[in-house]
Each structure stands twice: as C-alpha cells, then as structure tokens.
Amino acid sequence: MLTTALLALVLQTTAPTSADPQPATERLRAAAPAAAAFPDTTLLGYEVTGRSPRTVRESINESKPADPQGQRHDAVTRWRYQPRWMRRDSQCVPETATVEVQITIILPDLATRGALAGREGEAWDRYFDALVGHEVNHARVARTGAEQMQQAMRAASDCAGMQAAVEGINRAVQAANDQYDQQTGHGRTEGAVYPRR
C-alpha cells in the first residue's frame, strides 16, 4: 500500500525586515512584469516615496528588506522547496519524488514615480529594470534547483539518498546565488545602482 510522505523544508530561511513587504500593487506589477509573471513566484513590494533621487534613496534605505543573513538590500529573492514522495511498506519510493518551489521577490514600489521628471525618471527606470532583471535571475537559479533536486531524488536508492540529494542541491543553489551576487555586486555591475554618482 502506498502512502504519501511530505517533507516541507524551509531551505531558504527568512530574516525579519525593517518593513513588512506587502502584496504587489498594480503599479508594481505593471513596472515589473518579468517578476510578476515568473512561474511559482509571489511578488511583494515595499513602498518608496520621494521627489528627487536623494529622497527616493533615503526612502529605500529606510525600508529595504533583509536577506536570510540579515543584510539589507534594495531587493531580495527568497525561495522554499517542498519535496514530496510516496512510501511503500515504510520504505521511500524515490521514483515518486516531486519538488515544488515557492519563490518570493521583494522590490521597491515607487509611489511617486511621476514626481521624477526627465532624466531623473529615466535614471530610475534604468535602475529598476536592472534590479528586476537581477532578482529574476535569482529566481531562475532557484527554479532550476527544484528541477535538479527532483531528478536527483528520483535517482536515489533510498530515503537517505533522497535526503542527501535535497541537502546537496540546496547547498548548490545557495552557492550559485551567492556567487552571482558576488560577481555582480548584488546587481550593481548590471546597472542596479540608484542614484548613479
């Protein structure tokens, strides 16, 4: 007789932030369609205001979210894997393994975009597009990790092998995201700097 086993692992932890992000407004969804439409992803925002680059930056700095290590960034992507599999006679059945991923992207939601005229507004748009692209790339790494985790679990011979696959893929996904941030300075080399000096 087959029974279902669920292992809901929070493999990307959540650190408290200075301001609780809220479900994305229509304004944020329209500004960040690539993030809003990314599969298995919830888009959240934290409201930012300001009528100049300096005051917008101050608003971001006051409210930006923290990553799992407690470091605050203009945007953060988090993920959680939920591996599941069947059991037969108290034994894991690796070929039944599936992995769901839940991704959360948190972005600044500029409520006063209309107050930034001309070049100031264009500079915000360039920064924001680069920031969204950077976070979507993090989401891609996390989603690819879910596919790799499922394949590795199905290739395992027993429960211990599946657990080792889960832990190994999780470490690899975290390392890949850390390396990406290190290479890009958390998106700065890709243009996610506001305001530019």
Side-chain angles (χ1 to χ4, degrees):
M1 180 174 166
L2 287 175
T3 58
T4 303
L6 167 64
L7 176 64
L9 296 174
V10 177
L11 296 171
Q12 175 73 9
T13 58
T14 303
T17 63
S18 60
D20 291 330
Q22 300 297 316
T25 61
E26 286 305 313
R27 174 184 60 234
L28 181 58
R29 290 185 167 284
F38 197 81
D40 306 312
T41 299
T42 300
L43 180 60
L44 302 178
Y46 62 97
E47 187 169 295
V48 173
T49 59
R51 305 184 73 79
S52 69
R54 180 183 60 79
T55 57
V56 170
R57 171 43 62 189
E58 288 171 354
S59 184
I60 290 172
N61 289 346
E62 288 172 8
S63 301
K64 62 186 176 179
D67 67 16
Q69 291 75 40
Q71 296 186 0
R72 297 174 66 211
H73 302 283
D74 292 4
V76 171
T77 297
R78 301 176 181 145
W79 60 93
R80 182 175 67 164
Y81 295 122
Q82 291 184 318
R84 293 180 171 89
W85 61 89
M86 305 295 282
R87 287 183 177 269
R88 182 182 294 121
D89 300 327
S90 300
Q91 299 297 315
C92 296
V93 183
E95 61 269 22
T96 65
T98 61
V99 178
E100 292 180 8
V101 61
Q102 296 174 344
I103 300 168
T104 303
I105 296 176
I106 305 171
L107 294 169
D109 184 5
L110 182 58
T112 54
R113 168 62 183 85
L116 299 176
R119 290 182 180 164
E120 290 179 354
E122 291 168 4
W124 168 267
D125 293 342
R126 283 191 301 274
Y127 152 79
F128 188 75
D129 288 347
L131 189 66
V132 170
H134 181 81
E135 297 308 317
V136 167
N137 284 338
H138 279 302
R140 284 190 182 101
V141 172
R143 195 156 192 270
T144 299
E147 296 165 2
Q148 293 170 342
M149 186 180 289
Q150 180 171 295
Q151 292 171 358
M153 290 177 72
R154 288 182 177 183
S157 58
D158 56 18
C159 289
M162 287 200 303
Q163 184 63 36
V166 167
E167 293 170 1
I169 296 295
N170 186 61
R171 282 192 303 272
V173 168
Q174 186 63 57
N177 275 302
D178 289 347
Q179 182 180 23
Y180 176 51
D181 274 335
Q182 191 172 44
Q183 289 174 339
T184 65
H186 292 276
R188 286 187 293 276
T189 64
E190 299 168 305
V193 177
Y194 185 83
R196 287 193 174 275
R197 291 163 178 62

